[in-house]
Amino acid sequence: MKQVAIYTKKGDQGETGLLGGSRVGKDSVKVSCYGTLDEANASLGIAYSLLKNDQLKERLRKIQKQLFVVGSELASDSKGKDLLENRIQSSDIADLEQTIDTLEKYLGPLHEFVIPGETPASAALHQARAIIRRAERHMVKLDKTEPVRDELKKYMNRLSDAIFMLARAEVRSSFADKVKSRVMQKLEQSEKNRSTGLHLDTAKKMAEAAETYANEIGVPITFSAVDEHGNLILVHRMEGSLLASLDISQNKAYSSLALKMPTHEISRQAQPGKDLYGIANANRNRIVTFGGGYPIRQNGKVIGGIGISGGTVAEDMWIAEKVVKKFEAGLR
């Protein structure tokens, strides 16, 4: 394959070749026309690289390809134009008009001037729009000395409007993405908060598990659960359980949370000479120093407490430990 040279040295004297073989000065209006289109396409390329909306990107890429078609015709002499296989047609103009109409219906009317710069992509689109307007002015000037097809002039006129609407659509799309992102962040945070706390639905499942285990050993119990702030979120009393179990189970749940340890461990620490001696008389006598209360931990953090009361201390502890293990296994 023959290698194509990047530089030819043919333009060193200030002239450039047209498709068809003739040469013109680089400062000619004709060169300014297609040179400005090249500049516009470069700006559209920046916008394309910044866009996140796939539909807008697809539409913009089509426009970029059509600019090469416009540029090819402007970069041709009369002989070269006969060689062109593809030219801008009325259908291309209609396609741009449809884009404008569709986006205008979606975006609604404007009530003030648009200041470019709301997003990087829209700013690049506005820059391209301004460059396309300049290219259109060059074409009007060229038309005074060399006929420019009406389809080209109309296409360029509609193109700047279409790019303007695409810039507006990009801002709307970007705003929608930000709103969606904020909503998702709030939902994720909400879910995170929910997953790191002891809530009613989880407490209900734990109560059901406690009743199942209590039935296994034939002991009617009362189950209580508090959240991480010590608020009572559930009391479940089995038929036949002692009325005294209502207060005791709640105090066991509170005690295990308040001191972040099972209540049977509090008992050991509350003996004379130990760190918690006399604790049973604190917190308005809510601290329980015998087994059946357990703190609930998730990811190393205490998120609540449960209390079981109704059987012997050993029975209450057995049921509570089974419930805690089931919670840690995901209540499956």
Side-chain angles (χ1 to χ4, degrees):
M1 180 181 295
K2 182 179 180 181
Q3 184 175 355
V4 179
I6 298 299
Y7 59 90
T8 62
K9 301 183 180 180
K10 294 180 179 179
D12 291 349
Q13 302 305 313
E15 291 185 344
T16 188
L18 301 175
L19 179 62
S22 60
R23 299 186 67 78
V24 296
K26 291 184 178 181
D27 59 350
S28 71
V29 178
K30 194 173 186 66
V31 175
S32 294
C33 285
Y34 66 79
T36 305
L37 287 180
D38 186 35
E39 186 180 344
N41 214 340
S43 290
L44 291 177
I46 295 174
Y48 181 88
S49 70
L50 295 170
L51 284 172
K52 295 180 180 180
N53 185 292
D54 289 337
Q55 289 180 307
L56 295 180
K57 292 185 74 169
E58 181 180 353
R59 192 69 187 88
L60 190 60
R61 184 61 90 198
K62 182 177 180 180
I63 289 173
Q64 286 186 279
K65 291 178 179 179
Q66 287 181 316
L67 279 183
F68 284 113
V69 176
V70 177
S72 295
E73 184 168 345
L74 291 171
S76 301
D77 55 25
S78 56
K79 182 180 178 181
K81 290 176 182 178
D82 293 334
L83 301 175
L84 295 175
E85 297 181 359
N86 190 16
R87 294 194 189 191
I88 293 297
Q89 306 294 331
S90 298
S91 58
D92 297 314
I93 300 169
D95 186 43
L96 287 180
E97 290 175 345
Q98 183 178 7
T99 296
I100 295 168
D101 293 340
T102 299
L103 289 177
E104 188 170 28
K105 184 180 296 184
Y106 166 65
L107 298 168
L110 273 177
H111 300 289
E112 58 186 6
F113 288 108
V114 173
I115 300 177
E118 291 189 76
T119 69
S122 67
L125 286 168
H126 280 298
Q127 182 181 51
R129 170 187 58 79
I131 296 172
I132 288 168
R133 285 293 192 194
R134 174 151 47 91
E136 183 185 8
R137 292 193 295 272
H138 287 314
M139 289 173 63
V140 171
K141 186 175 182 180
L142 176 64
D143 192 43
K144 293 179 179 179
T145 57
E146 178 183 321
V148 177
R149 284 194 309 122
D150 286 343
E151 286 81 3
L152 283 186
K153 290 184 288 186
K154 289 179 181 180
Y155 182 84
M156 291 299 294
N157 184 265
R158 301 298 187 279
L159 180 58
S160 57
D161 292 334
I163 297 298
F164 176 78
M165 297 305 292
L166 288 174
R168 288 185 61 197
E170 146 60 15
V171 172
R172 172 71 68 86
S173 175
S174 179
F175 176 75
D177 286 343
K178 288 179 180 178
V179 171
K180 182 178 179 181
S181 177
R182 286 197 293 268
V183 170
M184 290 303 296
Q185 287 175 359
K186 288 182 179 179
L187 288 174
E188 289 172 0
Q189 185 61 45
S190 176
E191 184 61 29
K192 182 179 179 181
N193 292 339
R194 180 176 177 80
S195 66
T196 56
L198 183 57
H199 299 276
L200 181 59
D201 54 350
T202 303
K204 286 180 178 179
K205 294 178 181 178
M206 296 173 79
E208 291 172 1
E211 182 167 344
T212 298
Y213 296 130
N215 284 329
E216 286 183 16
I217 58 176
V219 177
I221 54 94
T222 297
F223 169 93
S224 294
V226 296
D227 65 16
E228 61 183 325
H229 304 294
N231 300 311
L232 184 65
I233 57 176
L234 178 68
V235 176
H236 176 69
R237 179 174 177 262
M238 292 175 62
E239 184 177 356
S241 66
L242 299 172
L243 289 176
S245 297
L246 286 170
D247 285 337
I248 295 173
S249 65
Q250 293 174 43
N251 289 338
K252 284 183 179 181
Y254 173 81
S255 299
S256 66
L257 170 73
L259 297 176
K260 298 183 178 181
M261 66 175 69
T263 52
H264 65 276
E265 292 184 10
I266 299 175
S267 177
R268 289 195 288 267
Q269 292 296 318
Q271 299 300 315
K274 297 293 184 179
D275 293 339
L276 297 180
Y277 179 66
I279 192 68
N281 299 319
N283 288 77
R284 292 177 293 178
N285 298 317
R286 292 186 66 186
I287 301 299
V288 175
T289 59
F290 51 90
Y294 285 78
I296 301 301
R297 289 183 169 84
Q298 190 172 66
N299 299 324
K301 178 185 177 182
V302 175
I303 60 170
I306 64 168
I308 304 288
S309 179
T312 65
V313 169
E315 289 170 338
D316 291 345
M317 288 176 61
W318 181 83
I319 295 170
E321 287 174 357
K322 297 282 283 186
V323 172
V324 170
K325 288 180 180 179
K326 192 172 184 66
F327 170 81
E328 292 174 346
L331 292 178
R332 292 187 292 272

